[in-house]
């Protein structure tokens, strides 16, 4: 049946998933004596050999600190390090590579804006809108900023299908709205908010918009200029790159007006004991020695996905999601949370009478890695009045057979609880 | 599959589906909320402690996985009628046992013996917190702390 289903679909001939899988060494391992079925890429993606080798190569052949030395290795490392900045700019179509700030990840990128922009440019009574779909990383930094300056956080509600309540959003926007922080794709439900409408509405209200692109950037092409946002944050590890590195893109005029948020080496022009002057953007926001090898290898991750084509990846993942939804819907007692059609690569669901944690433990013994819990998005769980869901998330290396393995493991769970 | 059958024994599934003493007693004089932030499970333990230090009534409400619900349900059955001291002592031994610090084959204690069905969690380190949440919450209620978290 499943093979037939697969054949019935238009083939994505440019995309050879078996060839892709061969690039990911970890995918050939077993877990509990069963082939690994990794359906947790939304938490962190596995790494292709190209990225692993790039990071190793840095340490074996190219390593030195960046931006300091006059010696050969330091200059070479600096060039490679900066080449990633240029690569990120082209990957997200940023107008200027100096608008790309390296961070530890998306969380730090959002914290940077919350501390440097929001804490300085927002005042008491100003409003920050965040949606109920947000990951904790796009909630808590704003709370911390608001505690400093007396700004007020207001929640953009969601509807039963998991999509943004646009009427409520329109009502919330007003003269006091100064910042809208919104995800380009919910990590818990996979829902894609209509940013093409939301961003212009925010700008009409003279608010700035920060987009959490952590999930979205792995599933479809990103163009920050077409999107029209003011800030865009993402993490390297979710796009098949190393951990410990991510980036913030921000409009140059905004970044230039923002004060430093962390002090240290690398970000200064001249230091006196009582006073210092700072470098321009982006280095002003990059205090301390960065994750050099990881930044360099992030370029290889972006090259890797670009080589496959973000469009082809999106098409492959849409096929997986479609198959997963169909098979889940065909099972008794399955409730999918977040049914809006504007969705990619993630399916969050419940099985009647069986707690997600029990499901997670049982399917794990079948080699199937899914995430169970609140997915760092407790407001979403509160909206649906549930404690947790089971989340299967698909990456470019997953197959229809793996979706079927998930379903089989869920059926086994049913048997145990029968 | 053997590990799973050990973890999800009939008794556990039964307590998980039909938890005993799942109620809020009007005359409870202690209570605490237990929270397992990892999975979002939450339960409230209610105790009625008599002047003599006896647990006269114990009940719970909340939601969680089969392991946490079963453990809470079994706990209410076992500690009712015991002294606070005895209930705490039993938790100590139960804790040592599910964390693998103590082996109890054919336990010397009939209460502990009833809890042996939860021994399966030893093979699932991430689930030990599920099995102990109700117990931590019970001792918190006895200590007058109203909120306890496993993290």
């Amino acid at each position: 049946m499943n093979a037939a289903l697969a054949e019935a679909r238009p083939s994505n001939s440019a995309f050879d998933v078996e060839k892709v899988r061969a690039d990911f060494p970890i995918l050939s391992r077993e877990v509990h004596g069963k082939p690994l079925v990794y359906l947790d890429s939304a938490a962190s993606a596995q790494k292709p050999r190209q990225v692993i080798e790039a990071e190793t190569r840095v340490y074996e052949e190219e390593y030195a600190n960046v931006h300091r030395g006059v010696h050969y290795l330091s200059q070479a490392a600096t060039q490679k390090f900066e080449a990633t900045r240029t690569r990120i700019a082209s990957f997200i179509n940023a107008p200027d590579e100096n608008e790309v700030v390296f961070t530890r990840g998306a969380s730090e990128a959002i914290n940077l804006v919350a501390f440097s922009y929001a804490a300085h440019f927002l005042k008491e009574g100003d409003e920050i809108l965040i949606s109920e779909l947000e990951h904790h990383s796009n909630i808590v930094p704003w709370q911390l900023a608001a505690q400093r300056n007396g700004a007020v956080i207001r929640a953009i509600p969601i509807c039963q299908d998991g999509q943004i309540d646009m009427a409520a959003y329109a009502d919330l926007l007003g003269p006091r709205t100064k910042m809208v922080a919104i995800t380009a794709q919910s990590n818990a439900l996979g829902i894609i908010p209509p940013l093409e409408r939301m961003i212009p509405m925010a700008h009409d209200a003279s608010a700035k918009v920060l987009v959490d692109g952590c999930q979205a950037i792995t599933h479809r092409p990103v163009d920050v200029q077409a999107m029209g946002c003011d800030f865009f944050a993402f993490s390297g590890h979710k796009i098949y790159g190393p951990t410990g590195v991510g980036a913030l893109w921000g409009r140059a005029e905004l970044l230039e007006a923002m004060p430093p948020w962390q002090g240290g080496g690398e970000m200064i022009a001249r230091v006196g004991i009582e006073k210092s002057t700072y470098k321009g953007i982006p280095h002003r926001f990059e205090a301390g020695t960065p994750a050099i090898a990881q930044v360099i290898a992030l370029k290889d991750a972006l090259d890797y996905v670009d080589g496959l084509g973000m469009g082809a990846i999106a098409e492959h993942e849409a096929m997986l999601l479609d198959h997963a939804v169909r098979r889940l819907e065909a099972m008794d007692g399955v409730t999918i949370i977040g049914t809006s059609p504007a969705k990619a690569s993630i399916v969050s669901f419940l099985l009647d009478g069986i707690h997600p944690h029990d499901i997670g433990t049982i399917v794990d013994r079948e080699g199937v890695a899914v995430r169970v819990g609140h997915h760092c998005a407790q407001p979403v769980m509160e909206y649906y009045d549930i404690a947790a869901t089971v989340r299967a998330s698909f990456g470019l290396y997953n197959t229809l057979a793996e979706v079927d393995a998930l379903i089989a493991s869920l059926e086994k769970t049913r048997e145990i609880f029968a | 599959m053997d590990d799973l059958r050990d973890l999800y024994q009939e008794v556990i599934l039964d307590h998980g589906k039909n938890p005993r003493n799942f109620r809020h007693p009007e005359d409870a004089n202690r209570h605490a909320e237990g929270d397992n932030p990892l999975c979002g499970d939450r339960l409230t333990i209610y105790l009625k402690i008599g002047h003599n230090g006896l647990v006269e009534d114990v009940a719970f409400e909340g939601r969680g996985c089969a392991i946490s619900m079963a453990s809470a349900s079994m706990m209410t059955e076992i500690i009712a009628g015991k002294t606070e001291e005895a209930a705490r002592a039993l938790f100590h031994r139960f804790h040592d046992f599910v964390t693998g610090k103590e082996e109890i084959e054919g336990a010397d204690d009939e209460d502990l013996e009833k809890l042996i069905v939860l021994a399966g969690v030893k093979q699932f380190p991430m689930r030990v917190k599920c099995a102990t949440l109700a117990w931590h919450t019970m001792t918190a209620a006895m200590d007058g702390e109203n909120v306890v978290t496993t993290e």
Side-chain angles (χ1 to χ4, degrees):
Chain A
M1 162 209 164
N2 307 313
L5 262 178
E7 278 166 27
R9 284 196 193 84
S11 68
N12 183 352
S13 55
F15 196 87
D16 180 350
V17 71
E18 288 308 323
K19 192 162 163 272
V20 168
R21 290 179 68 80
D23 288 332
F24 290 79
I26 204 169
L27 296 181
S28 59
R29 71 158 288 171
E30 293 190 340
V31 167
H32 304 303
K34 306 275 170 65
L36 167 66
V37 175
Y38 189 75
L39 303 180
D40 197 21
S41 296
S44 199
Q46 299 297 349
K47 318 305 173 197
R49 198 182 302 280
Q50 289 82 341
V51 169
I52 299 166
E53 286 174 357
E55 206 174 319
T56 305
R57 193 184 57 234
V58 173
Y59 287 124
E60 289 184 350
E61 300 170 25
E62 302 164 344
Y63 185 77
N65 209 334
V66 291
H67 298 132
R68 330 239 139 121
V70 294
H71 60 79
Y72 173 81
L73 277 181
S74 177
Q75 289 184 56
T78 302
Q79 270 173 12
K80 294 209 91 175
F81 181 88
E82 289 299 324
T84 299
R85 200 186 304 274
T86 311
R87 187 70 187 85
I88 290 173
S90 70
F91 193 79
I92 62 174
N93 194 31
D96 182 347
E97 64 198 40
N98 289 321
E99 295 176 329
V100 175
V101 180
F102 287 120
T103 63
R104 281 189 294 135
S107 294
E108 193 177 61
I110 297 168
N111 274 281
L112 193 167
V113 179
F115 279 79
S116 178
Y117 184 84
H120 287 86
F121 294 98
L122 269 60
K123 52 186 193 305
E124 198 169 337
D126 284 347
E127 293 179 354
I128 301 168
L129 303 190
I130 56 180
S131 87
E132 288 180 342
L133 282 178
E134 300 312 308
H135 186 281
H136 295 165
S137 295
N138 202 19
I139 299 175
V140 183
W142 303 109
Q143 293 173 345
L144 295 173
Q147 281 166 15
R148 286 178 159 198
N149 60 14
V152 178
I153 293 173
R154 304 192 69 186
I156 308 166
I158 55 174
C159 304
Q160 193 57 39
D161 67 354
Q163 191 50 272
I164 298 289
D165 181 338
M166 289 298 285
Y169 173 57
D171 285 346
L172 282 166
L173 284 167
R176 278 189 276 188
T177 313
K178 290 293 175 332
M179 176 65 73
V180 175
I182 177 90
T183 184
Q185 185 182 345
S186 153
N187 74 302
L189 307 181
I191 301 293
I192 300 168
L195 296 189
E196 68 288 354
R197 285 192 285 150
M198 295 183 76
I199 293 172
M201 286 167 72
H203 285 160
D204 285 346
S206 302
K208 301 291 182 243
V209 180
L210 175 138
V211 171
D212 171 1
C214 241
Q215 297 295 332
I217 198 169
T218 70
H219 302 307
R220 57 182 191 277
V222 167
D223 180 334
V224 291
Q225 295 187 69
M227 197 188 293
C229 58
D230 301 292
F231 298 102
F232 183 88
F234 74 95
S235 292
H237 72 98
K238 286 196 163 78
I239 189 157
Y240 311 98
T243 53
V245 57
L248 171 73
W249 170 80
R251 291 183 188 279
E253 68 270 25
L254 295 175
L255 291 177
E256 273 161 6
M258 286 159 58
W261 77 305
Q262 288 177 347
E266 188 90 8
M267 51 78 71
I268 39 78
R270 188 176 179 84
V271 173
I273 289 297
E274 284 173 5
K275 211 174 153 193
S276 301
T277 54
Y278 312 117
K279 278 188 183 157
I281 64 166
H283 299 103
R284 182 195 303 169
F285 301 107
E286 295 177 354
T289 293
I292 298 166
Q294 290 76 10
V295 165
I296 292 173
L298 176 56
K299 176 174 179 292
D300 296 80
L302 298 180
D303 288 344
Y304 183 82
V305 293
D306 239 5
L308 295 172
M310 288 310 296
I313 292 169
E315 203 179 310
H316 174 71
E317 291 175 350
M319 176 187 75
L320 296 171
L321 178 64
D322 183 51
H323 185 53
V325 169
R326 277 177 210 221
R327 292 225 53 198
L328 284 168
E329 282 176 348
M331 281 181 81
D332 285 334
V334 169
T335 308
I336 293 177
I337 306 292
T339 49
S340 162
K343 188 168 171 167
S345 255
I346 289 172
V347 59
S348 223
F349 60 94
L350 304 173
L351 262 187
D352 247 9
I354 313 180
H355 191 279
H357 241 75
D358 297 314
I359 298 169
T361 293
I362 295 171
V363 303
D364 173 60
R365 292 283 151 154
E366 296 299 309
V368 178
V370 291
R371 179 85 182 267
V372 295
H374 53 56
H375 318 298
C376 298
Q378 282 180 317
V380 174
M381 301 296 128
E382 266 168 43
Y383 174 82
Y384 289 101
D385 192 25
I386 51 182
T389 71
V390 182
R391 179 188 72 182
S393 56
F394 308 110
L396 49 81
Y397 36 58
N398 290 121
T399 66
L400 292 170
E402 289 183 307
V403 174
D404 294 335
L406 165 69
I407 301 294
S409 70
L410 293 172
E411 276 158 2
K412 194 153 259 174
T413 309
R414 269 278 173 62
E415 279 167 33
I416 288 177
F417 271 74
Chain B
M1 279 307 268
D2 286 351
D3 280 354
L4 283 178
R5 291 288 175 195
D6 279 350
L7 183 64
Y8 294 103
Q9 295 184 40
E10 282 304 320
V11 183
I12 289 182
L13 295 177
D14 176 50
H15 275 271
K17 270 182 221 160
N18 311 296
R20 323 296 197 261
N21 299 304
F22 194 82
R23 59 193 162 81
H24 179 177
E26 291 289 308
D27 56 351
N29 51 17
R30 309 274 177 86
H31 78 278
E33 275 178 31
D35 187 10
N36 182 348
L38 185 74
C39 42
D41 293 341
R42 220 172 256 197
L43 50 80
T44 306
I45 301 284
Y46 302 101
L47 296 170
K48 186 188 173 197
I49 311 257
H51 295 301
N52 47 8
L54 278 187
V55 178
E56 292 177 3
D57 193 13
V58 49
F60 80 108
E61 284 181 323
R63 57 186 181 187
C65 63
I67 309 299
S68 65
M69 289 291 103
S71 179
S73 170
M74 294 172 74
M75 181 189 83
T76 61
E77 287 194 324
I78 292 172
I79 69 163
K82 289 202 183 327
T83 62
E84 255 190 67
E85 284 309 299
R88 286 176 195 269
L90 181 61
F91 174 37
H92 259 286
R93 289 199 67 191
F94 173 62
H95 192 269
D96 283 351
F97 155 59
V98 291
T99 51
K101 284 184 198 146
E102 188 188 352
E103 285 297 325
I104 11 176
E105 297 292 340
D108 45 27
D109 176 316
E110 72 174 58
D111 295 322
L112 212 49
E113 204 172 289
K114 285 181 197 153
L115 295 171
I116 283 181
V117 290
L118 287 163
V121 295
K122 276 197 272 189
Q123 306 305 321
F124 299 83
M126 294 298 289
R127 307 302 301 276
V128 169
K129 284 175 180 174
C130 306
T132 56
L133 178 63
W135 297 80
H136 280 294
T137 312
M138 167 197 74
T139 53
M142 287 173 173
D143 294 338
E145 294 165 18
N146 290 332
V147 181
V148 65
T149 161
T150 57
E151 292 301 301

